[in-house]
Amino acid sequence: MTQGLLKAPKLSPSAGAPTRRPSAWSRSTFWAGRHQMQGLYSTGRWLSAAGSIWTMLLMVLIVTDVLGRSLLNAPLPRVPEIVGYSIVAIVFLQVVDSVLSRRLARSDAWSESIAKRRPVLAAAMMAGFQMVGAVVMGIIAIATLPDLVESWRYADYFGSQSDLAIPVWPFRAVVVMCAGLASVAFLVDMFRTMADAPMARANTREMLRFAAMAGVAVTGLTIALLSFQSGFGIAVTLVVCMVLLVLLGMPIAMALAGLSFVGVWLLREDFLTAADMLKIAATGSIQNQLYGVVPLFVLMGLVVNEARIARDAFDVCEWLLGKIVGGLGIATVAANTVFAAITGISIASAVVFTRVAVPPMLDHGYSGRFAVGIVAGSSVLGMLIPPSLLLIVYGIVAEVSVGALFTASIIPGVILAVGFALMIYAIARFAPSFAGVTAHAARKSYPSAWSRAPEAKETPRTALAKLSPIGLLIVAVLGGIYCGVFTPTEAGAVGAALALCIYAVRAVRIPGLSNWPALWRLLIETGQVSVSILLLIIAANMYTRMIALSGLPADLVQLVVAVEMPFAVLILCYLGALLLMGMVLDSVSIMLITLPLMLPILASFDVDLIWFGILTVIAIEVGLLTPPLGLSVFVVKAALGNSAITLRDIFIGTSPFVGVMLLMIGLLFIFPQLTSVFQ
């Protein structure tokens, strides 16, 4: 998704800045002391561990409720309310560790370039961004404190005294405590950034110049905002500033929440009202059972990856398709399609298949650019084939059924996968200089799929055994949703539980897989990825409130009506904007910035939001493959390690996939009924 989701948790210097010997000032500073830093880091890790254990308990609770309801007609009481309150607590329990590990979602579109050329400037910018994060989290903690006191004083509870009454104050106490610690963590990280920066005299002058320029920019922006007489000007200015800050590397959630807070403050001319809205967004916007789908599906995907199920799927697809021209590439697409049906994260597919599929393709004569292009290009299926985290985010923001989105994405996802396979076949057959393979080499390299020859890697029996775990997960998760047996959140819990059971069974049978510290690491990773996504949803809720208060959506609707813009032209302009933004912003950021502006306009056209969601996801996913950001491309490059394959090679290799995705967008635009086949 973003750079912040990819880095391993560690105490590192500023992103992109080279490690330097600390100055005398930093060595003598309390905040830079290793003992104090490690103490806060350990606290964050323990809180994150508590959140991970809480997530596991929620999984057990939901699965027990599903079994009790389905088998015994005896559902557990108050499960939706418990899950809703728990998700809020889990997010704040794990936010401290995410801040200190620098795992909050952010874009590196410009920040890495600035860090390489002007490391002091990059450090100063990062310190400023961390200060904003400290202020946002501090406001949430302070604004939630009165609610904590009130719930304690009046013994507020949810549920009923007749079956199950659960007090509210412990959940609010977690929010207040952890938001306050997150504010401190941002400040500590800010001082760490400053301590890691070089303190030579010339660099000090550069930092002072930057501070002066930043002060002038903030003063000018403040004067401009105060001079606006309408909410339209305030909203447009803040949206532009938001995009710029995200491009510069500010954590996306902090950019959305911080500037939206400023916008509400200016629009209502009341600081307390803005603080109250930020508190409501932080504690109330995700207080719903639906949001439990995020950590549960993330957990399922990570456990499936650790269980080496993707490698088994690739082995079987390689065995079945190896004799076809370009068969290994087609096998990669097929395995990616199957893997996408249980992960929902494109970057997971990119990492796994870079390690699994690229080496055998290179061994069988594929060119480096073609091999890595296939992996990066087909990885985008993870965001379209259900269950997809991007579809879940869209469903939450657009307030449409996540299950309906999953159903609608099946046919477009299959068509896109088939299009990728046909494109690979055509390139391998008719452009061998690009692909690096020939029809003769492809046919000669593999035995028949049903051969009993000793050199055959698989037999029908072993192939079925390898595909049975992933088949079980697909049937349980997607079958349960489509048949109405359980909700998407319950499907995530059932899928995560089944994935853990499969991992346990395979750990006994496969040597070297039973690595319980690795499983614990996956639980921590689940929390860090989930927090990044859920914090974005919280910030987007605040952003939506600011946009609604400004009247900007209504002004845009009036503008569209006034110019009598046809619907087709509107959609084409929207898709063009998504494709351009996809070159510099990550998928979730694009969606959260554009949807609050676009959805009110679509209401006047009576548009099917399910179809619009599938179209939006495909258009946004093109950005994963296009420069300069191209997140899937950077993930593949990082997974390759030291390799002669350059970023330019990978971008060239993914260009045919971009063409197929653009054709798919056109196909959906002409035939919107493709999303309603199973409705």
Side-chain angles (χ1 to χ4, degrees):
M1 183 179 296
T2 51
Q3 177 186 359
L5 298 181
L6 302 177
K7 290 192 173 183
K10 59 183 180 179
L11 294 176
S12 61
S14 303
T19 304
R20 294 176 174 84
R21 183 180 179 182
S23 63
W25 176 82
S26 67
R27 289 196 301 268
S28 61
T29 304
F30 170 81
W31 298 104
R34 181 176 180 85
H35 177 72
Q36 291 81 3
M37 188 66 191
Q38 288 295 343
L40 184 60
Y41 184 83
S42 298
T43 301
R45 269 303 162 91
W46 279 109
L47 291 174
S48 182
S52 298
I53 294 172
W54 201 332
T55 301
M56 294 288 290
L57 292 176
L58 281 186
M59 179 193 73
V60 174
L61 176 69
I62 294 172
V63 170
T64 304
D65 180 52
V66 170
L67 293 176
R69 184 183 66 225
S70 303
L71 301 180
L72 304 175
N73 196 25
L76 299 178
R78 304 299 172 187
V79 171
E81 293 95 331
I82 294 173
V83 174
Y85 276 93
S86 295
I87 289 300
V88 178
I90 288 171
V91 168
F92 281 92
L93 278 172
Q94 296 176 322
V95 73
V96 178
D97 182 51
S98 295
V99 169
L100 293 174
S101 302
R102 295 182 178 174
R103 296 294 300 271
L104 295 184
R106 64 184 183 89
S107 170
D108 59 357
W110 294 350
S111 60
E112 285 196 351
S113 176
I114 296 173
K116 291 177 181 178
R117 298 179 181 180
R118 308 290 292 273
V120 176
L121 177 62
M125 285 195 310
M126 180 172 283
F129 298 157
Q130 290 156 344
M131 174 62 76
V132 173
V135 171
V136 170
M137 284 297 173
I139 291 174
I140 292 174
I142 294 172
T144 310
L145 184 58
D147 292 347
L148 168 61
V149 174
E150 182 179 354
S151 61
W152 169 270
R153 180 178 300 174
Y154 296 103
D156 292 340
Y157 65 90
F158 63 89
S160 64
Q161 297 288 357
S162 59
D163 53 15
L164 182 65
I166 300 177
V168 172
W169 71 263
F171 299 93
R172 290 178 177 167
V174 169
V175 173
V176 172
M177 177 188 69
C178 294
L181 283 175
S183 180
V184 175
F186 269 117
L187 290 175
V188 169
D189 204 31
M190 181 188 71
F191 282 102
R192 172 159 59 113
T193 299
M194 295 170 60
D196 288 334
M199 296 302 294
R201 181 175 301 177
N203 291 331
T204 303
R205 286 198 298 267
E206 182 179 355
M207 188 172 289
L208 291 175
R209 283 198 301 269
F210 168 76
M213 293 172 59
V216 171
V218 171
T219 302
L221 178 62
T222 303
I223 294 173
L225 290 172
L226 292 176
S227 65
F228 285 121
Q229 300 298 318
S230 66
F232 182 89
I234 293 175
V236 170
T237 303
L238 290 177
V239 170
V240 172
C241 292
M242 199 176 298
V243 174
L244 290 175
L245 289 175
V246 169
L247 289 174
L248 288 171
M250 187 174 187
I252 301 165
M254 298 302 106
L256 286 171
L259 288 180
S260 298
F261 171 82
V262 172
V264 173
W265 184 3
L266 293 173
L267 291 168
R268 287 295 182 90
E269 298 181 350
D270 187 356
F271 177 88
L272 294 180
T273 299
D276 192 54
M277 279 197 173
L278 182 58
K279 174 202 69 177
I280 293 172
T283 59
S285 60
I286 60 171
Q287 191 176 304
N288 190 302
Q289 184 185 20
L290 175 63
Y291 295 96
V293 73
V294 175
L296 293 172
F297 271 122
V298 170
L299 175 61
M300 181 181 70
L302 293 176
V303 173
V304 164
N305 180 23
E306 188 70 20
R308 303 180 188 177
I309 291 178
R311 180 180 295 274
D312 287 349
F314 176 75
D315 288 342
V316 174
C317 292
E318 174 190 353
W319 170 66
L320 289 171
L321 303 170
K323 287 192 67 176
I324 303 173
V325 178
L328 265 182
I330 298 173
T332 302
V333 173
N336 236 322
T337 304
V338 175
F339 190 62
I342 52 172
T343 57
I345 309 174
S346 293
I347 58 175
S349 298
V351 171
V352 170
F353 286 98
T354 298
R355 298 166 181 167
V356 169
V358 170
M361 281 193 279
L362 294 178
D363 290 342
H364 286 86
Y366 284 64
S367 67
R369 66 176 55 173
F370 191 44
V372 295
I374 290 171
V375 170
S378 60
S379 70
V380 301
L381 294 169
M383 285 300 185
L384 184 60
I385 301 291
S388 160
L389 283 180
L390 201 57
L391 285 175
I392 292 171
V393 173
Y394 175 85
I396 290 170
V397 176
E399 297 181 352
V400 297
S401 168
V402 174
L405 285 168
F406 285 175
T407 303
S409 67
I410 294 176
I411 295 300
V414 171
I415 292 175
L416 190 60
V418 171
F420 287 164
L422 293 176
M423 180 267 295
I424 292 170
Y425 175 84
I427 292 177
R429 189 170 186 85
F430 301 109
S433 60
F434 180 86
V437 295
T438 64
H440 173 73
R443 287 194 174 98
K444 193 173 180 180
S445 299
Y446 295 94
S448 169
W450 305 100
S451 172
R452 296 287 184 176
E455 67 270 16
K457 294 177 62 177
E458 305 289 350
T459 65
R461 179 177 297 178
T462 60
L464 182 62
K466 284 188 173 183
L467 289 181
S468 57
I470 200 168
L472 176 62
L473 282 169
I474 292 174
V475 170
V477 174
L478 299 184
I481 293 175
Y482 299 146
C483 295
V485 178
F486 36 68
T487 66
T489 301
E490 293 171 339
V494 172
L498 279 176
L500 287 169
C501 292
I502 291 171
Y503 181 89
V505 172
R506 291 171 70 88
V508 174
R509 300 179 59 184
I510 301 177
L513 188 62
S514 56
N515 188 347
W516 296 111
L519 185 59
W520 179 251
R521 187 179 65 251
L522 288 182
L523 294 177
I524 300 297
E525 182 84 1
T526 298
Q528 292 176 336
V529 174
S530 302
V531 164
S532 296
I533 296 172
L534 291 170
L535 277 181
L536 285 173
I537 294 174
I538 289 173
N541 184 273
M542 184 66 182
Y543 170 66
T544 303
R545 292 169 186 266
M546 185 271 289
I547 291 294
L549 281 176
S550 69
L552 179 59
D555 292 336
L556 291 177
V557 171
Q558 292 178 2
L559 178 62
V560 171
V561 173
V563 300
E564 298 181 351
M565 182 180 293
F567 175 70
V569 175
L570 174 66
I571 293 297
L572 289 176
C573 292
Y574 170 71
L575 293 176
L578 292 184
L579 294 177
L580 290 175
M581 295 175 70
M583 296 180 180
V584 292
L585 291 175
D586 68 281
S587 303
V588 177
S589 300
I590 298 170
M591 185 174 286
L592 296 180
I593 290 172
T594 56
L595 284 182
L597 299 175
M598 195 65 184
L599 291 175
I601 300 175
L602 295 176
S604 61
F605 288 95
D606 193 25
V607 176
D608 180 7
L609 293 182
I610 301 296
W611 166 81
F612 181 73
I614 305 302
L615 199 68
T616 296
V617 168
I618 297 176
I620 289 177
E621 287 301 283
V622 173
L624 288 176
L625 306 178
T626 51
L629 184 58
L631 183 61
S632 284
V633 172
F634 283 93
V635 170
V636 168
K637 177 60 178 174
L640 284 173
N642 295 327
S643 173
I645 302 173
T646 64
L647 283 174
R648 182 175 180 273
D649 291 330
I650 305 176
F651 278 122
I652 293 174
T654 59
S655 56
F657 291 86
V658 172
V660 173
M661 294 178 73
L662 294 177
L663 289 176
M664 187 66 215
I665 291 173
L667 190 64
L668 273 179
F669 189 77
I670 298 172
F671 302 105
Q673 58 269 28
L674 289 174
T675 61
S676 58
V677 173
F678 295 113
Q679 298 293 338

